[in-house]
Amino acid sequence: MLEQLEKIGKDAITALKNITDTAALEEFRIKYLGRKGQITQMLSQVGHLPAEQRREGGQLANRVKKEVSEAFEQLKKNLLQSQQGESKELVDVTLPGTTINIGKTHVITQTINELLEIFGRMGFSVAYGPEVEDEWHNFIALNIGPEHPARDPFDAFYVGGNTLLRSHTSPVQIRVMEQTKPPIRVVAPGRVYRPDTVDATHMYMFHQIEALVVDEDISMVDMKTTIDQFIHAYYGPEIKWRLRPSFFPFTEPSGEVDVFWVNKQGKEDWMEVGGCGMVDPNVFDAVGIDSEKYTGWAFGFGVERLAMRKYGINDIRLLFENDLRFLKQF
Ligand code: PHE
């Protein structure tokens, strides 16, 4: 019995030396040190030894158990440490990387870029003008007389004297014609400001894209063809649009462009996206371009409205709320 105990102890120590992972270690624990393990069993049998062997047997059993338990605990500690050490350096290349949020341009900026790209392909260059304008460029040179309602302080944001936040991008037409001789072929995107009551299709600040073409023999056919090509390039071949007569002091004749869309109530409807027309001779006179020699056309389209129709956005206010859940869609 005592020899057997000694042998179990030696076997256990030898077995421990061959263990390299925690699963094998657990098997070892069950085999030797568990409730029904060999060492535990031996220990419980010490009580059954004849009285003269009991003391020696007890001491031996306890020593074997202590040795094996200590060796077991030591190995367990070593295995855990090397496991942690491994996992610290372990790089799992199959895991998805941490994404870095780099952001993107606003849907209105995207739209303007897309429009400029289309007009760039059609041979237009890009012009910019100031958002704080004077009455000459915003009204007077555009044939908008002092009596016109657009000049009412309730219809424009005056910032003092004859200075105001431009109410449309048409003053850029004037600035371009003051500086450039025909032929002219430009588009001018930018912000405009009007004290409009805010609703699903109106905002006190929005964006327009203006176009101006001036040359000899320019007719309304050029205008309508360019608008048609632009609308199809932007919306695709399926789009329906119409040109309807209108009035602007700086164009004669004048028209308005509508595109077909589904409105907030789910109703199909025409939505006005902008005005257009043949440059009024009075405008040419104001900038010193010979209106006998040159003709031209212009349009001013609302960028928000073009985008709303394209993406099915039924409320202009969504574009300015900076709600990332909305903006991330574009
Ligand atoms: N400026 C006009 C507006 O804002 C639009 C327009 C531009 C009309 C050019 C005709 C020609 O309503």
Side-chain angles (χ1 to χ4, degrees), residues 142 167-171 173 192 194 206 208-211 248 250-251 254-256 272 274-278 297-301:
L142 285 163
S167 56
H168 52 176
T169 43
S170 299
Q173 288 187 41
V192 302
R194 289 179 198 177
F206 57 99
Q208 286 188 328
I209 182 160
E210 191 87 9
F248 296 99
F250 39 96
T251 47
S254 303
E256 257 161 303
E272 181 200 326
C276 61
M278 303 304 294
W297 61 262
F299 73 59
F301 286 170

Side-chain angles (χ1 to χ4, degrees), residues 79-107:
L79 282 178
L80 278 177
Q81 266 175 3
S82 67
Q83 230 177 27
Q84 280 168 355
E86 263 171 41
S87 64
K88 239 183 247 159
E89 277 160 43
L90 197 77
V91 176
D92 184 350
V93 292
T94 63
L95 283 173
T98 27
T99 48
I100 297 163
N101 204 349
I102 54 165
K104 57 175 7 188
T105 49
H106 189 277
V107 56

Side-chain angles (χ1 to χ4, degrees), residues 292-312:
E292 292 297 323
K293 188 173 174 195
Y294 293 106
T295 48
W297 61 262
F299 73 59
F301 286 170
V303 174
E304 281 78 4
R305 290 191 174 191
L306 290 171
M308 285 167 77
R309 171 64 187 83
K310 177 148 179 157
Y311 300 114

